Amino acid sequence: MDSTVTVTDNRTEKQYTFPITHGTIRAMDLRKIKAGPEDFGIMSYDPAFMNTASCVSKITFIDGDKGILRYRGYDIADLAEHCTFPQAAYLVIHGELPTPEQENEWLAALRIHMGIFENIKKFTEGFRYDAHPMGMLVSTMAALSTFYPDSKDVRNHDVQVKCISRIIGKIPIIAAYGYRHSKGLEYISPEPSLGYAENFMHMMWDRSPLEHLKHPVLARALDVLFILHIDHEQNCSANAMRAVGSSEADPFLSTAAAAAALAGPLHGGANEAVLKMLDEIGSKENIPAFIKGVKEGKEKLMGFGHRVYKNYDPRARMIKKTAESVFEITGRSKKIDLAMELERIALNDDYFISRKLYPNVDFYSGIIYEAMGLEAKMFTVLFAIPRAVGWLAQWQELINDPEQKIARPRQVYTGYDQRKLPDSYTYGVRTEDAVATTR
Ligand code: CMC
């Protein structure tokens, strides 16, 4: 079968044949379709990138209809069950799972960068006690750019490698320092000999009232949650990372921009909304009335539905499983039973079945984080820590892709045609009258 598409321009009755590659046509081919020699050519209009591939990528595969998520070809469930976060991070960045030697080198590179300048501590102190942790993370990440002028040399492979380890090594420290600052607690230095998630818990809980939450089972649960959040192909924050990175801004600034995109409630903030919703529902008897309200369009079932998944989000399945191990240590959260009953009722209801609405990653993640002692304001930060790996993999792929250029979309202009400035605006007009009025 010929992998081409032929379109007829009814204005000119001319036909154009374009190749189809990977199920796409090149938007630039559309420019060949012109009504006349002076015509600019046709563009595609796609607000919110509903049907536009902005890049070719080898990192993450999603089949939303089948509920499949893979990093570099490996199923997310296998990675979450059998790998550590640093191993999965290595895979996403480098394309292959590490050999034991490569893993040691990778861990050593991360450890070297698990330190932070004293000035950064002072910088953190400048925030008010109630500053949102995402605002602190975004600003501190951007501030790190000023400490590493070499990071501007973005096309240099060695610089790319170094910046990736720097950011992955430092982001949990920035997150934990922000938290400790807001609680008025002294900063706890990283302990690089610990596992990645374990070290984060150490910096969060050591010498604090929540010290008992430094537990190996909880650290492993956090490690799994980190793996599940590493990448999700061209979502809003990955797109921000690529768009800013395409201007050759350094990776600290690009990561800050990606984190800013994640901070929005439509992206990284839904797990917080799930907890609020469960609090409002209160108990199982109130679920039918709540569902009725959702069906009448009065509210949304938060943590349900997804632009891409029209099946069970595989991450939600893993999080639900991980929750059980967490509750064995922390005691069972009442919210999990309420959430499971809510899920059961929704998945048997025609409204949700017909719209293919299933639990997404955020449905259970807030419940598990809360049980682990993490407060709602920190949830998006917990998303950002592992997602930095995905952002950096996307950034490196972009920088090294010869087809990519600075991201610069087109627009459809629907504003005024040329207009004449009113005579009352005289500044800079070199007539005697105008000069007199400006004096
Ligand atoms: N509760 C009730 N109805 C819903 C929900 C929901 N959570 N989600 C979608 N619908 C309905 C929607 O009203 C529409 O119905 P109708 O066809 O009668 O108008 C239909 O399902 C299709 O929804 P849509 O709004 O066209 O779907 P979308 O792809 O534009 O939106 C979404 C996806 C995730 C924004 C949406 O499902 C939603 O708001 N969910 C709740 C918020 C949430 O959990 N967000 C986390 C997303 S996953 C994490 C991430 O990506 O960062």
Side-chain angles (χ1 to χ4, degrees):
M1 195 173 60
D2 193 10
S3 266
T4 59
V5 64
T6 300
V7 293
T8 306
D9 184 345
N10 294 325
R11 299 169 301 178
T12 58
E13 293 187 348
K14 265 173 116 179
Q15 284 203 325
Y16 301 82
T17 298
F18 304 131
I20 302 174
T21 315
H22 304 302
T24 63
I25 60 159
R26 297 234 160 206
M28 280 303 284
D29 277 346
L30 299 176
R31 285 273 193 90
K32 294 172 190 158
I33 307 176
K34 295 179 185 229
E38 298 302 308
D39 190 5
F40 183 74
I42 280 183
M43 292 191 294
S44 58
Y45 172 58
D46 189 9
F49 301 118
M50 296 285 285
N51 194 36
T52 294
S54 63
C55 61
V56 172
S57 182
K58 290 188 163 66
I59 302 169
T60 293
F61 172 78
I62 301 175
D63 183 329
D65 292 328
K66 296 193 181 124
I68 294 173
L69 169 60
R70 296 184 195 130
Y71 299 155
R72 304 282 188 183
Y74 294 103
D75 271 334
I76 190 70
D78 289 340
L79 293 169
E81 216 153 332
H82 302 294
C83 293
T84 63
F85 171 72
Q87 287 169 340
Y90 183 98
L91 168 74
V92 171
I93 297 284
H94 295 277
E96 297 296 338
L97 285 163
T99 62
E101 295 74 41
Q102 287 167 332
E103 186 179 348
N104 284 339
E105 278 171 33
W106 174 237
L107 292 175
L110 296 183
R111 280 181 194 132
I112 286 171
H113 296 297
M114 277 184 193
I116 216 145
F117 285 96
E118 285 300 310
N119 313 43
I120 286 290
K121 291 187 188 164
K122 291 191 189 126
F123 183 85
T124 307
E125 262 138 44
F127 291 108
R128 285 178 62 105
Y129 71 96
D130 59 350
H132 195 284
M134 275 309 278
M136 289 197 251
L137 179 77
V138 169
S139 331
T140 313
M141 184 56 72
L144 277 184
S145 151
T146 66
F147 289 80
Y148 302 104
D150 61 330
S151 68
K152 309 263 174 249
D153 191 7
V154 292
R155 301 219 167 262
N156 180 325
H157 178 75
D158 293 344
V159 169
Q160 290 173 13
V161 170
K162 201 187 266 184
C163 287
I164 287 171
S165 315
R166 277 175 180 155
I167 293 173
I168 300 172
K170 291 180 199 311
I171 192 166
I173 310 177
I174 301 172
Y177 282 11
Y179 171 78
R180 304 234 10 151
H181 169 67
S182 66
K183 298 285 169 208
L185 294 166
E186 65 181 304
Y187 301 136
I188 301 295
S189 298
E191 181 44 67
S193 65
L194 298 174
Y196 192 87
E198 214 179 354
N199 177 45
F200 177 64
M201 286 186 151
H202 162 75
M203 293 186 289
M204 291 284 286
W205 308 140
D206 206 47
R207 278 174 266 162
S208 87
L210 298 178
E211 192 144 10
H212 62 282
L213 292 171
K214 277 192 339 184
H215 191 287
V217 171
L218 301 187
R220 174 58 190 154
L222 189 59
D223 209 51
V224 169
L225 284 159
F226 280 173
I227 293 171
L228 299 177
H229 285 89
I230 289 179
D231 195 53
H232 213 229
E233 52 120 306
Q234 305 312 311
N235 52 78
C236 180
S237 57
N239 185 55
M241 183 85 189
R242 280 181 175 261
V244 176
S246 76
S247 76
E248 300 195 1
D250 73 55
F252 293 97
L253 294 174
S254 302
T255 302
L262 186 73
L266 295 188
H267 190 4
N271 44 19
E272 201 175 328
V274 171
L275 286 195
K276 199 164 157 265
M277 174 187 76
L278 292 174
D279 279 336
E280 279 163 14
I281 297 174
S283 63
K284 288 184 188 173
E285 309 82 79
N286 300 332
I287 294 177
F290 172 76
I291 293 284
K292 188 166 172 275
V294 171
K295 286 157 67 172
E296 286 166 359
K298 290 184 189 150
E299 42 213 329
K300 264 190 174 176
L301 175 47
M302 295 309 287
F304 257 66
H306 198 276
R307 174 63 59 78
V308 179
Y309 293 115
K310 301 302 167 199
N311 202 325
Y312 213 103
D313 182 334
R315 301 168 299 173
R317 206 187 297 282
M318 289 305 296
I319 292 176
K320 197 169 151 188
K321 207 166 149 191
T322 308
E324 297 302 333
S325 66
V326 168
F327 298 145
E328 274 175 27
I329 307 301
T330 61
R332 197 167 178 81
S333 149
K334 280 191 189 140
K335 284 186 188 142
I336 188 83
D337 294 326
L338 188 59
M340 282 166 77
E341 182 61 4
L342 190 52
E343 177 193 324
R344 191 190 65 75
I345 293 179
L347 293 186
N348 282 298
D349 191 299
D350 256 1
Y351 175 93
F352 298 92
I353 296 169
S354 61
R355 289 169 179 78
K356 298 188 176 169
L357 300 172
Y358 292 87
N360 61 48
V361 68
D362 291 317
F363 193 64
Y364 288 108
S365 63
I367 301 174
I368 206 172
Y369 287 145
E370 191 182 60
M372 289 163 91
L374 295 151
E375 54 190 48
K377 260 169 59 164
M378 282 295 286
F379 290 174
T380 318
V381 171
L382 290 159
F383 193 154
I385 294 172
R387 185 52 64 87
V389 173
W391 293 332
L392 290 161
Q394 299 282 348
W395 169 77
Q396 201 178 26
E397 192 173 65
L398 162 104
I399 292 288
N400 298 322
D401 180 347
E403 265 208 321
Q404 289 289 347
K405 291 167 181 268
I406 186 165
R408 204 308 186 179
R410 292 278 173 173
Q411 65 165 13
V412 178
Y413 178 73
T414 58
Y416 287 109
D417 211 344
Q418 189 178 21
R419 295 200 284 171
K420 193 173 172 306
L421 207 62
D423 290 343
S424 54
Y425 287 78
T426 54
Y427 182 80
V429 178
R430 309 312 298 170
T431 64
E432 281 308 302
D433 283 355
V435 171
T437 51
T438 53
R439 272 187 189 139

